[in-house]
């Protein structure tokens, strides 16, 4: 790896010789411009306006253009004479928490290596100090014709430098946010939180540039003489007015399917049911689109009611029969009430039980009356011996 800048890290009175290396690389496929009619190469040439002839790179310098359009040449000697302490030095200004750095200021990244064996000890000292303090270093340095701001941090066992734009180079966000006044409901925020939890975290190392891969396949196919056939992709839908809650619910379900989670699972179902129940009480439209439980048909409801009535009629008769066989039947009935009989059923059964008991009492009285009549007949028969003698005589 070739270094792009050599200098020193100034850490108080400690000087650390370093070399700067690019920490990132561009993998994008570059194209050349051609003439579409004959595929001729289109080239850019640097031409002097006064001579109208191409100029070599070694003959090209720099100049400043003022407001009137006049060009003021600035030579390399002029740049070298600038009284900048950061010309070949990365001057550490302060140590701050990484959370204080605005990500909008972050720019290119570089690795910093040692500029010799003597730099190993102070290099390691600065690295370990940054690790233990859990802070980053703010530094200034001169690079590519201007003074720049940077942040030093530790990556593995290496010092890394991130170029920062100056605070006054960050534009204001005024006028970018929506001007319309909208209200976000708590139910919508709850669903958004659920969607965020469902999507979860991701390892950035698992992400890949799919467009770059498809472009490489296209170039390889063209080089081999094949005619690539483009697969129909999804067309972006136009702006539509949708139910935000319903869209979030569908997004949660889609995210779970994409992650291989079964919607019918116990945990997923309970989570989804709890979320949907919480929202459908407030959002009637969402309830119409995705009802939790299908409503029973009217016939099924009528049949169920008829069965309950028939069971209620049979219950008193069975209890009356049980009461005849065992005087402790009342205790069983009380136990049955405790085991799950509802108050409505008890109210319906009490008058029926009393009627059954009265009927049973009447039958018992009738039996006693019949017994008395039979005994009376026998007594009468004993008191009439004449009839018995007459029958014997004849």
């Amino acid at each position: 790896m070739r270094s792009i800048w050599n200098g020193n890290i100034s850490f108080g009175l400690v000087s650390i010789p370093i070399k700067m290396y690019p920490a990132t690389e561009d993998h994008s496929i570059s194209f050349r411009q051609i003439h579409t009619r004959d595929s001729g190469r289109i080239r850019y040439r640097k031409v002097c306006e006064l001579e109208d002839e191409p100029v070599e790179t070694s003959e090209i310098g720099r100049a400043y253009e003022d407001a009137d359009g006049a060009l003021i040449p600035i030579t390399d000697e002029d740049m070298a004479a600038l009284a900048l302490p950061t010309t070949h030095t990365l001057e550490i200004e302060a140590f701050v928490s990484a959370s204080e750095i605005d990500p909008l200021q972050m720019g290119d990244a570089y690795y910093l290596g040692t500029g010799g064996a003597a730099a190993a000890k102070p290099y390691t000292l600065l690295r370990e100090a940054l690790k233990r303090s859990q802070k980053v270093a703010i530094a200034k340095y001169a690079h590519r014709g201007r003074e720049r701001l940077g942040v030093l941090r530790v990556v593995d066992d290496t010092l890394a430098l991130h170029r920062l734009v100056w605070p006054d180079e960050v534009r204001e966000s005024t006028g970018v946010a929506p001007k319309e006044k909208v209200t976000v409901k708590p139910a919508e925020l709850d669903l958004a939180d659920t969607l965020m939890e469902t999507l979860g975290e991701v390892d950035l190392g698992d992400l890949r540039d799919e467009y770059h891969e498809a472009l490489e396949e296209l170039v390889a196919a063209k080089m081999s003489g094949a005619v690539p056939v483009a697969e129909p992709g999804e067309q972006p839908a136009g702006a539509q007015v949708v139910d935000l809650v319903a869209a979030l619910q569908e997004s949660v379900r889609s995210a779970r399917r994409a992650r291989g989670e079964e919607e019918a699972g116990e945990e997923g179902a309970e989570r989804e049911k709890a979320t949907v129940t919480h929202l459908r009480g407030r959002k009637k439209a969402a309830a119409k689109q995705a009802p939790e439980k299908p409503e029973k048909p009217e016939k099924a409801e009528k049949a169920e009611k008829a069965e309950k009535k028939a069971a209620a009629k049979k219950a008193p008769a069975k209890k009356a029969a049980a009461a005849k066989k065992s005087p402790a039947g009342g205790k069983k009935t009380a136990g049955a009430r405790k085991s799950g009989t509802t108050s409505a059923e008890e109210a319906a059964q009490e008058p029926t039980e009393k009627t059954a008991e009265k009927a049973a009492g009447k039958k018992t009285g009738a039996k006693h009356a019949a017994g008395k009549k039979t005994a009376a007949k026998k007594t009468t028969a004993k008191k009439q011996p004449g009839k018995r003698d007459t029958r014997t005589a004849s």
Side-chain angles (χ1 to χ4, degrees), residues 81-290:
L82 291 175
L84 288 177
T86 56
T87 303
H88 295 287
T89 304
L90 198 149
E91 188 80 23
I92 294 179
E93 300 290 332
F95 294 89
V96 299
S97 174
S99 60
E100 298 182 27
I101 307 299
D102 188 348
L104 289 174
Q105 294 182 251
M106 301 288 283
D108 299 332
Y110 306 93
Y111 289 135
L112 302 180
T114 56
K121 181 66 177 287
Y123 183 98
T124 304
L125 172 64
L126 177 58
R127 182 191 67 197
E128 296 303 317
L130 289 174
K131 281 184 178 180
R132 190 168 70 173
S133 66
Q134 296 183 351
K135 291 185 177 181
V136 296
I138 302 298
K140 292 195 301 183
Y141 64 102
H143 186 219
R144 294 179 180 174
R146 60 171 297 187
E147 190 173 53
R148 299 180 183 274
L149 191 65
V151 56
L152 274 172
R153 70 183 186 96
V154 179
V155 177
D156 297 331
D157 290 330
T158 306
L159 291 176
L161 173 68
H162 293 268
R163 181 177 64 82
L164 299 179
V165 300
W166 296 94
D168 60 353
E169 293 178 332
V170 178
R171 293 178 175 179
E172 296 289 338
S173 62
T174 306
V176 179
K179 297 180 181 179
E180 296 79 9
K181 292 183 179 180
V182 297
T183 302
V184 179
K185 299 179 180 179
E188 296 168 343
L189 281 175
D190 292 342
L191 262 181
D193 291 341
T194 303
L195 179 57
M196 292 168 64
E197 292 176 1
T198 304
L199 292 176
E201 299 178 356
V202 66
D203 184 0
L204 294 179
D206 296 336
L207 302 179
R208 66 183 194 279
D209 188 349
E210 298 181 5
Y211 180 82
H212 177 75
E213 294 175 357
L215 195 57
E216 284 184 332
E217 293 177 0
L218 172 63
V219 172
K222 297 284 284 188
M223 290 177 65
S224 63
V227 179
V229 179
E231 297 181 359
E234 295 183 0
Q235 296 295 329
Q240 298 179 357
V241 179
V242 298
D243 185 348
L244 183 57
V245 173
L248 286 171
Q249 289 174 348
E250 183 59 31
S251 299
V252 171
R253 287 190 286 268
S254 299
R256 286 174 180 167
R257 287 194 294 267
R259 292 172 65 86
E261 298 179 3
E262 294 292 337
E263 289 188 16
E266 293 181 0
E267 295 181 1
E270 290 178 1
R271 216 168 31 242
E272 184 177 357
K273 184 177 179 181
T275 304
V276 172
T277 302
H278 175 71
L279 293 175
R280 284 173 183 162
R282 304 179 182 178
K283 197 73 176 176
K284 294 182 179 179
K288 291 181 180 179
Q289 291 182 3

